[in-house]
Amino acid sequence: MITTDASEEIRQLRDALRGTLGTAHQELPSAPAADWREGWRALAELGVTGFCVPEEKGGIGLRADAAVAVATELGAALHGSPYAGLAASARVLALADDPVADQVLSGVLSGERVCGFGRLSGDGRVARLVDGVAHSDALVLLEQDGDGATLLLDPLDWSADARHHGFDVSRTCADVTVVPGQGRRLVVPAVAVAVDLYELLLAADTVGSAHRMLERTVTYAGQRRSFGRPIGGFQAVQHRLVDHSVRVRGMTLVVTEAARLLSAGSSRARRWVAVAGSSTGAGAPHILHDLLQLSGAIGFTWEYGLHFHQRRVHQNARLAANPRGALRALADLEGWTDAR
C-alpha cells in the first residue's frame, strides 16, 4: 500500500491494521462486510479512536498522521465505519470540557460507542449527509457558525432519512433531523480543527481506495492476455497506468503534508486540507473510472468490487466540502476572491 511516511511506528500501525482487516493481500471481498461493528473493538484496542484525543482525556494527542494511516487502510478495505466522523467527534468531545461529553468519549475510545459527526443547517434542526447514522448511538452536530455543538445521546433524539444517500453501499449515510428540545450544547474551542480533521480523513479514505484498485489493476494488466501477450505490455495501457500512479502519488503527498501541518498546529494546515480535498475529490473518481475501463469486462461485474470503491470516493467528496467547495475555500484563504 502507501509508504510515504517512513516512520517505523506508522509502518507497524499499518501492518497491524492490514492483519486485523484482512487486507495484507490483494484479494478483496465481493461485497462490503454486513456488520463492521463486530470487529470494531479489536480496532479500538489498536488505539485508532484516540489518535486525535489529548493525553489527559485518554488519547495520545493530535497525531493526524496516524489517523490518516488508519483512514487510508479502512478505505482500502471498504470498511463500513464512519472513521472520519468518529475521529472528529472524539476531538470535539475531548475539547468540550463537559462531564457528559467525557462519558461518551470514554465509550468511543473503548469501541463500545459510535458517535457520528455532522454540521447543522442555519435553523439548527437539520444536518445533511451524516455518515454512519444507522450504527451511531450518539451524534455530535456542529453549529453552522461559532464554536458550539449539539451532543445527542440517544437515537430517539433524532430522526434519519437515508432515502437519497444509498449510492455508497459500503457505508450508511442519512440526513438527520433533531427532535425539538433534545440535545446538550457544548462549547468547543478551536472547533475548526475538528472540521479540518474530518475533511482530511475523508481524503485519506479516498487515497486508500484509489491506491488499492490501482494496485489491483496493475496486477490484472500483467495477467490478462490479448494477442498472445499481457495487456500491460502494450504502451497505451502502460502510459495510462503510469499517469494514474503519478496522480495517486501526488494525492498521497498532499494528504501527508496536510496531516503533518495539522498535527503541528500550523496556520497553513487549512490550506493543505483544502488542497487535499480538491485533489482527491476531483481526481480519484476519474482515476477509478479509467481503471474500470482498463479492467475490461470483469471490472464491470458486481463480484469484482471496483464499483464499490467508485461509489465510496464519490461519497467522500460529497461528505467533505466537495471539490468545488474545497476550491472555494482555498480561494478565500489565499485572497483570490478579492480580485472581483
Side-chain angles (χ1 to χ4, degrees), residues 117-130 133 139-145 150 152 157-165 174-182:
F117 179 82
R119 284 166 279 197
L120 288 165
S121 58
D123 62 6
R125 290 198 58 211
V126 178
R128 305 290 184 190
L129 291 167
V130 180
V133 175
L139 291 180
V140 166
L141 303 178
L142 301 185
E143 295 175 356
Q144 192 172 65
D145 300 308
T150 297
L152 303 173
D157 294 343
W158 68 81
S159 60
D161 183 1
R163 289 176 298 173
H164 305 297
H165 306 303
D175 295 332
V176 169
T177 301
V178 179
V179 176
Q182 298 302 314

Coordinates of all heavy atoms in Angstrom, one line a residue, residues 117-130 133 139-145 150 152 157-165 174-182:
F117 N -20.8 12.4 13.3 CA -20.4 13.8 13.2 C -21.0 14.4 12.0 O -21.2 13.9 10.9 CB -18.9 13.8 13.0 CG -18.3 15.1 12.9 CD1 -18.0 15.9 14.0 CD2 -17.9 15.7 11.7 CE1 -17.4 17.2 13.9 CE2 -17.4 16.9 11.5 CZ -17.1 17.7 12.7
G118 N -21.5 15.6 12.2 CA -22.2 16.4 11.2 C -22.2 17.9 11.5 O -21.7 18.3 12.5
R119 N -22.8 18.6 10.5 CA -22.9 20.1 10.7 C -24.3 20.5 10.5 O -25.0 20.1 9.5 CB -22.0 20.8 9.7 CG -20.5 20.7 10.1 CD -19.6 21.1 9.0 NE -19.4 20.0 8.1 CZ -18.4 19.9 7.2 NH1 -17.5 20.9 7.1 NH2 -18.2 18.9 6.4
L120 N -24.9 21.2 11.5 CA -26.3 21.7 11.4 C -26.5 22.8 10.4 O -25.6 23.6 10.1 CB -26.7 22.2 12.8 CG -26.9 21.1 13.9 CD1 -26.9 21.7 15.3 CD2 -28.1 20.3 13.6
S121 N -27.7 22.8 9.9 CA -28.0 23.9 9.0 C -28.3 25.2 9.8 O -28.2 25.2 11.1 CB -29.3 23.5 8.2 OG -30.4 23.2 9.1
G122 N -28.7 26.3 9.2 CA -28.8 27.5 9.8 C -29.9 27.5 10.9 O -29.8 28.2 11.9
D123 N -31.0 26.7 10.7 CA -32.0 26.7 11.7 C -31.7 25.8 12.9 O -32.5 25.8 13.9 CB -33.3 26.3 11.1 CG -33.3 24.8 10.5 OD1 -32.3 24.2 10.7 OD2 -34.3 24.4 9.9
G124 N -30.6 25.1 12.9 CA -30.2 24.3 14.0 C -30.9 23.0 14.2 O -30.8 22.3 15.2
R125 N -31.7 22.6 13.2 CA -32.5 21.4 13.3 C -32.1 20.3 12.4 O -32.4 19.1 12.7 CB -34.0 21.7 13.1 CG -34.6 22.6 14.2 CD -36.1 22.5 14.1 NE -36.6 21.2 14.2 CZ -37.7 20.7 13.6 NH1 -38.4 21.5 12.8 NH2 -38.0 19.4 13.7
V126 N -31.5 20.6 11.3 CA -31.2 19.5 10.3 C -29.7 19.5 10.0 O -29.0 20.5 9.9 CB -32.0 19.8 9.0 CG1 -31.6 18.8 7.9 CG2 -33.5 19.9 9.2
A127 N -29.2 18.3 9.8 CA -27.8 18.1 9.4 C -27.8 17.2 8.2 O -28.3 16.1 8.3 CB -27.0 17.4 10.6
R128 N -27.3 17.7 7.1 CA -27.2 16.9 5.9 C -26.0 16.0 5.8 O -24.9 16.3 6.3 CB -27.2 17.8 4.7 CG -28.3 18.9 4.6 CD -29.6 18.3 4.3 NE -30.7 19.3 4.2 CZ -32.0 19.0 4.2 NH1 -32.4 17.8 4.2 NH2 -32.8 20.0 4.1
L129 N -26.2 14.8 5.2 CA -25.1 13.9 4.9 C -24.3 13.5 6.1 O -23.1 13.8 6.2 CB -24.2 14.5 3.8 CG -24.8 14.6 2.4 CD1 -23.9 15.5 1.6 CD2 -24.9 13.2 1.8
V130 N -24.9 13.0 7.1 CA -24.2 12.5 8.3 C -23.9 11.0 8.1 O -24.7 10.2 7.9 CB -25.1 12.7 9.6 CG1 -24.3 12.2 10.8 CG2 -25.5 14.1 9.7
V133 N -24.9 7.1 10.5 CA -26.1 7.3 11.4 C -26.7 6.0 11.9 O -27.0 5.8 13.0 CB -27.1 8.2 10.8 CG1 -28.3 8.4 11.7 CG2 -26.5 9.6 10.5
L139 N -24.5 11.5 18.6 CA -24.1 12.4 17.5 C -23.6 13.7 18.0 O -24.0 14.2 19.0 CB -25.4 12.7 16.6 CG -26.0 11.6 15.7 CD1 -27.2 12.2 14.9 CD2 -25.0 11.0 14.8
V140 N -22.5 14.1 17.3 CA -22.0 15.5 17.6 C -22.3 16.3 16.3 O -21.8 16.0 15.2 CB -20.5 15.5 17.9 CG1 -19.9 16.9 17.8 CG2 -20.2 14.9 19.3
L141 N -23.1 17.3 16.5 CA -23.5 18.2 15.3 C -23.0 19.6 15.6 O -23.5 20.2 16.5 CB -25.0 18.1 15.1 CG -25.6 16.7 14.9 CD1 -27.2 16.9 14.7 CD2 -25.0 16.1 13.7
L142 N -22.1 20.1 14.7 CA -21.6 21.4 14.9 C -22.6 22.5 14.5 O -23.3 22.3 13.5 CB -20.3 21.6 14.1 CG -19.1 20.6 14.4 CD1 -17.9 21.0 13.5 CD2 -18.8 20.6 15.8
E143 N -22.6 23.6 15.2 CA -23.4 24.7 14.7 C -22.8 25.3 13.5 O -21.6 25.2 13.3 CB -23.5 25.7 15.9 CG -24.2 25.2 17.1 CD -24.1 26.2 18.2 OE1 -23.5 27.3 18.1 OE2 -24.8 26.0 19.3
Q144 N -23.6 25.9 12.7 CA -23.1 26.5 11.4 C -22.1 27.6 11.7 O -21.1 27.7 10.9 CB -24.3 27.0 10.6 CG -23.9 27.4 9.2 CD -25.2 27.7 8.4 OE1 -25.8 28.7 8.6 NE2 -25.5 26.9 7.4
D145 N -22.3 28.4 12.7 CA -21.4 29.5 13.0 C -21.0 29.4 14.5 O -21.8 28.9 15.3 CB -22.0 30.9 12.7 CG -22.4 31.0 11.2 OD1 -21.5 30.8 10.4 OD2 -23.5 31.4 11.0
T150 N -24.0 20.5 19.3 CA -25.0 19.8 20.0 C -24.7 18.3 20.1 O -24.3 17.7 19.1 CB -26.4 19.9 19.2 OG1 -26.7 21.3 19.1 CG2 -27.5 19.2 19.9
L152 N -26.1 14.8 21.0 CA -27.3 13.9 21.1 C -26.9 12.6 21.6 O -26.0 11.9 21.1 CB -28.0 13.8 19.7 CG -28.4 15.1 19.1 CD1 -28.9 14.9 17.7 CD2 -29.4 15.9 19.9
D157 N -33.3 10.8 20.0 CA -33.2 12.2 19.9 C -33.2 12.8 18.5 O -33.2 14.0 18.3 CB -31.9 12.7 20.6 CG -32.0 12.4 22.1 OD1 -33.1 12.1 22.6 OD2 -30.9 12.4 22.8
W158 N -33.1 11.9 17.5 CA -33.1 12.4 16.1 C -33.9 11.4 15.2 O -34.1 10.3 15.6 CB -31.7 12.6 15.7 CG -30.9 11.3 15.5 CD1 -30.9 10.4 14.4 CD2 -29.9 10.7 16.4 NE1 -30.1 9.4 14.7 CE2 -29.4 9.5 15.9 CE3 -29.5 11.1 17.7 CZ2 -28.5 8.8 16.5 CZ3 -28.5 10.3 18.3 CH2 -28.0 9.2 17.7
S159 N -34.2 11.9 14.0 CA -34.7 11.0 13.0 C -33.8 11.1 11.8 O -33.2 12.1 11.5 CB -36.2 11.4 12.6 OG -36.2 12.8 12.1
A160 N -33.7 10.0 11.1 CA -32.7 9.9 10.0 C -33.5 9.5 8.7 O -34.3 8.6 8.7 CB -31.6 8.9 10.3
D161 N -33.1 10.2 7.6 CA -33.7 9.9 6.3 C -32.6 9.6 5.3 O -31.8 10.4 4.9 CB -34.5 11.1 5.8 CG -35.1 10.9 4.5 OD1 -35.0 9.8 3.9 OD2 -35.8 11.8 4.0
A162 N -32.5 8.3 5.0 CA -31.4 7.8 4.1 C -31.8 7.5 2.7 O -31.1 7.0 1.9 CB -30.8 6.5 4.7
R163 N -33.0 8.0 2.3 CA -33.6 7.6 1.0 C -32.8 8.1 -0.1 O -32.7 7.4 -1.2 CB -35.0 8.2 0.9 CG -36.1 7.5 1.8 CD -37.4 8.2 1.7 NE -37.3 9.6 2.2 CZ -38.3 10.5 2.1 NH1 -39.4 10.1 1.5 NH2 -38.1 11.7 2.6
H164 N -32.1 9.2 0.0 CA -31.4 9.8 -1.1 C -29.9 9.6 -1.0 O -29.1 10.2 -1.8 CB -31.7 11.3 -1.3 CG -33.2 11.6 -1.3 ND1 -34.0 11.2 -2.4 CD2 -34.0 12.2 -0.5 CE1 -35.2 11.6 -2.2 NE2 -35.3 12.2 -1.1
H165 N -29.4 8.7 -0.1 CA -28.0 8.6 0.1 C -27.5 7.2 0.1 O -26.7 6.8 1.0 CB -27.6 9.3 1.4 CG -28.1 10.8 1.5 ND1 -27.7 11.7 0.6 CD2 -28.9 11.4 2.4 CE1 -28.3 12.9 0.9 NE2 -29.0 12.7 2.0
A174 N -27.1 9.5 6.0 CA -28.5 10.0 6.1 C -28.5 11.5 6.5 O -27.6 12.0 7.0 CB -29.3 9.2 7.1
D175 N -29.7 12.1 6.1 CA -30.0 13.4 6.7 C -30.6 13.3 8.0 O -31.5 12.4 8.2 CB -30.9 14.2 5.7 CG -30.3 14.5 4.4 OD1 -29.0 14.6 4.3 OD2 -31.0 14.5 3.4
V176 N -30.2 14.1 9.0 CA -30.7 13.9 10.4 C -31.5 15.2 10.7 O -31.1 16.3 10.5 CB -29.5 13.8 11.3 CG1 -29.9 13.9 12.8 CG2 -28.8 12.5 11.1
T177 N -32.6 14.9 11.3 CA -33.5 16.0 11.9 C -33.5 15.8 13.4 O -33.9 14.7 13.9 CB -34.9 15.9 11.3 OG1 -34.8 16.1 9.9 CG2 -35.7 17.1 11.9
V178 N -33.1 16.9 14.1 CA -33.1 16.8 15.6 C -34.5 17.0 16.2 O -35.2 17.9 15.7 CB -32.1 17.9 16.1 CG1 -32.1 17.9 17.6 CG2 -30.7 17.7 15.5
V179 N -34.8 16.1 17.1 CA -36.1 16.3 17.8 C -36.1 17.5 18.6 O -35.1 17.8 19.4 CB -36.4 15.0 18.7 CG1 -37.6 15.2 19.5 CG2 -36.4 13.8 17.9
P180 N -37.1 18.4 18.5 CA -37.1 19.7 19.2 C -36.9 19.5 20.7 O -37.5 18.6 21.3 CB -38.4 20.3 18.9 CG -38.8 19.7 17.6 CD -38.2 18.3 17.6
G181 N -36.0 20.3 21.3 CA -35.8 20.2 22.7 C -34.8 19.2 23.2 O -34.4 19.2 24.4
Q182 N -34.2 18.4 22.3 CA -33.3 17.4 22.6 C -31.8 17.9 22.4 O -31.6 18.7 21.5 CB -33.5 16.1 21.8 CG -34.9 15.5 22.1 CD -35.1 15.1 23.5 OE1 -34.2 14.6 24.2 NE2 -36.3 15.5 24.1

